[in-house]
Amino acid sequence: MERISQSPTDPAFVQNPYRFYARARALGDIVFWEDYGVPVATTHRAVTQILKDRKMGRAPLSPPEIPPHLAAFYAVEAHSMLELEPPRHTRLRGLVLRAFTSRRIAALKEETTALCHALIDTFPDGPFDLLQVYAQRLPVIVIARLLGVPETISDQLLAWSNAMVAMYQARRTRPIEDAAALAAQEFTDFLRAYVDERRAKPADDLITHLIAAEEDGEKLSTDELITTCILLLNAGHEATVHTLGIAVKTLLETETPRAALAPNRIDATVEEVMRQDPPLHMFTRWVYEDTTVFGADLKRGDEVGCLLGAANRDPAIWPDPDRFEPQRKQTTHTAFGAGLHFCVGAPLARLELKLGLTALFARCPDLALVEPPRYANLYHFHGLERLMVRAQATEM
């Protein structure tokens, strides 16, 4: 196995990780990333195989030692579908899918479209940060409405979410850990009270449906329900904000014709955005059995990284993969993962992206960048620091 070195917080890498991915891919399907101390899959075939391989999974073989200052954070993680394997993962995912149905998501279309236009109506005169005014607001309000919590606390939901997901970033520090633990505790306390209220007074919202969801006589425990709500907000919100910002940046920088957002073409455009510059660049697995994958010997207990960003620009799959081509014929990209942990919120994310982009460019035909966008130091997430634009919204 070849070895390669690259700091994930290096400014040049933060702005363009794809040069490193190309170097890593040239060394093999799996290479050892010295800065992380783990082997990583670099190609589409290797990433896809590892994500689907049942000799590997998300849960570590032995429980990690949790420092006291992170107890509240890992108390939430202990019940997360994202960190579990069958049979518990199967049970939790099955119960969630009974409440988080495609029909329920599709029913959000009209309401979400109206929300997009309401947010656009608030655009200020002069330059403004589209991330703060639009890309962050849209998904957090949609999730709040879906869960049934007051959207008036969306700023607080954002703060909790941002603090918690910072735990997965390469720049993690003790202050970041303390902030994440505090956010986890406050978010849990809020939801526990809200779940108790919904048990007493059911409503037509996701929390009520999660409470009612039952499979083979089993229901979600309160802790499982709370963690699921936190996961839906954190994972769904973080990825959608990044992708919406990157999509606008890409469409403007490439001067993509507005026809790419037409009803018969928007689906392909959204998929190409997620392929070409995904919001999550690495997802890890633990090895459960000694195995050899594409010539790399992996031992029980090893951790392996799947470089989603590298897989999505594999030239063996996509000709000229660095080029943004809205009508590219797509082979399944890895932006939503694969296998048992394929993103449960993918239908909602796709809906928000399609509606958000369609409304934005229809109402703001003169939308323009006022400064070159820069990526934030978030790895292994991937998103912009801000997106300064100018736009004059037209009337509906």
Side-chain angles (χ1 to χ4, degrees):
M1 188 187 312
E2 298 286 342
R3 304 177 77 88
I4 193 167
S5 178
Q6 172 63 64
S7 168
T9 59
D10 176 73
F13 174 85
V14 169
Q15 295 310 311
N16 184 2
Y18 298 104
R19 295 191 188 100
F20 166 70
Y21 295 154
R23 286 195 293 120
R25 263 196 319 268
L27 296 176
D29 292 273
I30 299 179
V31 300
F32 192 86
W33 191 347
E34 293 183 341
D35 303 76
Y36 271 100
V38 299
V40 292
T42 67
T43 62
H44 185 272
R45 66 177 186 172
V47 166
T48 302
Q49 180 168 319
I50 289 174
L51 289 175
K52 295 180 178 180
D53 193 336
R54 297 313 304 146
K55 294 179 182 176
M56 307 179 203
R58 283 290 294 172
L61 291 171
S62 56
E65 185 175 340
I66 298 172
H69 73 283
L70 288 176
F73 178 84
Y74 284 105
V76 173
E77 292 288 281
H79 303 288
S80 172
M81 283 188 297
L82 199 60
E83 309 299 334
L84 298 174
E85 289 298 309
R88 195 173 174 206
H89 173 271
T90 306
R91 170 182 163 270
L92 280 175
R93 189 178 178 98
L95 288 169
V96 169
L97 287 175
R98 286 175 177 263
F100 204 64
T101 63
S102 56
R103 179 179 58 83
R104 183 171 295 277
I105 300 306
L108 295 171
K109 182 176 180 180
E110 183 176 339
E111 182 181 357
T112 302
T113 298
L115 173 60
C116 292
H117 288 287
L119 292 173
I120 292 169
D121 288 338
T122 70
F123 285 1
D125 296 328
F128 63 96
D129 183 358
L130 190 71
L131 296 186
Q132 290 187 358
V133 178
Y134 192 65
Q136 291 179 354
R137 306 295 299 167
L138 175 60
V140 75
I141 292 175
V142 169
I143 285 286
R145 290 177 177 179
L146 189 63
L147 291 174
V149 300
E151 63 186 75
T152 53
I153 67 161
S154 59
D155 287 344
Q156 182 60 72
L157 296 175
L158 272 174
W160 285 331
S161 175
N162 291 337
M164 291 185 71
V165 299
M167 282 286 287
Y168 302 104
Q169 297 169 14
R171 64 185 181 92
R172 174 173 158 179
T173 60
R174 176 60 189 261
I176 285 176
E177 292 180 348
D178 290 339
L182 178 61
Q185 186 63 62
E186 291 178 348
F187 205 169
T188 297
D189 291 343
F190 166 77
L191 283 173
R192 192 175 302 279
Y194 214 82
V195 168
D196 288 344
E197 180 181 328
R198 279 292 173 263
R199 289 190 191 280
K201 298 179 180 179
D204 186 19
D205 55 42
L206 188 58
I207 288 180
T208 300
H209 288 280
L210 286 171
I211 291 170
E214 186 170 0
E215 187 171 359
D216 296 330
E218 291 194 59
K219 292 189 176 185
L220 291 168
S221 70
T222 298
D223 286 340
E224 289 171 339
L225 199 156
I226 288 170
T227 292
T228 298
C229 292
I230 291 176
L231 175 63
L232 291 174
L233 174 72
N234 291 359
H237 167 264
E238 191 78 9
T240 305
V241 171
H242 294 333
T243 306
L244 190 52
I246 289 170
V248 174
K249 166 191 176 291
T250 302
L251 291 168
L252 293 177
E253 287 184 337
T254 58
E255 299 181 349
T256 298
R258 296 296 184 265
L261 302 178
N264 63 331
R265 298 177 66 180
I266 183 69
D267 287 356
T269 299
V270 166
E271 295 306 313
E272 175 68 351
V273 168
M274 291 188 291
R275 178 208 67 83
Q276 202 243 2
D277 211 8
L280 176 65
H281 275 218
M282 183 165 71
F283 204 45
T284 57
R285 289 288 189 273
W286 294 97
V287 179
Y288 296 153
E289 301 176 25
D290 291 358
T291 186
T292 299
V293 182
F294 296 103
D297 294 326
L298 304 176
K299 302 298 182 183
R300 174 179 164 84
D302 285 350
E303 189 175 20
V304 182
C306 292
L307 297 183
L308 310 180
N312 279 2
R313 293 207 187 185
D314 188 342
I317 304 297
W318 293 280
D320 195 9
D322 294 334
R323 180 180 175 84
F324 177 69
E325 297 182 7
Q327 294 308 297
R328 185 189 293 270
K329 183 178 180 181
Q330 287 290 347
T331 298
T332 304
H333 58 71
T334 63
F336 288 119
L340 290 182
H341 289 93
F342 182 83
C343 178
V344 71
L348 178 59
R350 286 183 164 115
L351 179 73
E352 290 172 338
L353 291 166
K354 288 188 289 187
L355 298 180
L357 290 171
T358 299
L360 177 65
F361 282 93
R363 293 282 308 280
C364 302
D366 64 342
L367 184 68
L369 299 172
V370 298
E371 68 178 34
R374 290 180 54 81
Y375 290 94
N377 183 13
L378 303 173
Y379 199 82
H380 33 84
F381 294 108
H382 186 65
L384 301 173
E385 288 179 338
R386 61 181 188 172
L387 186 59
M388 296 301 296
V389 300
R390 181 183 288 106
Q392 182 65 48
T394 62
E395 296 295 327
M396 287 183 62

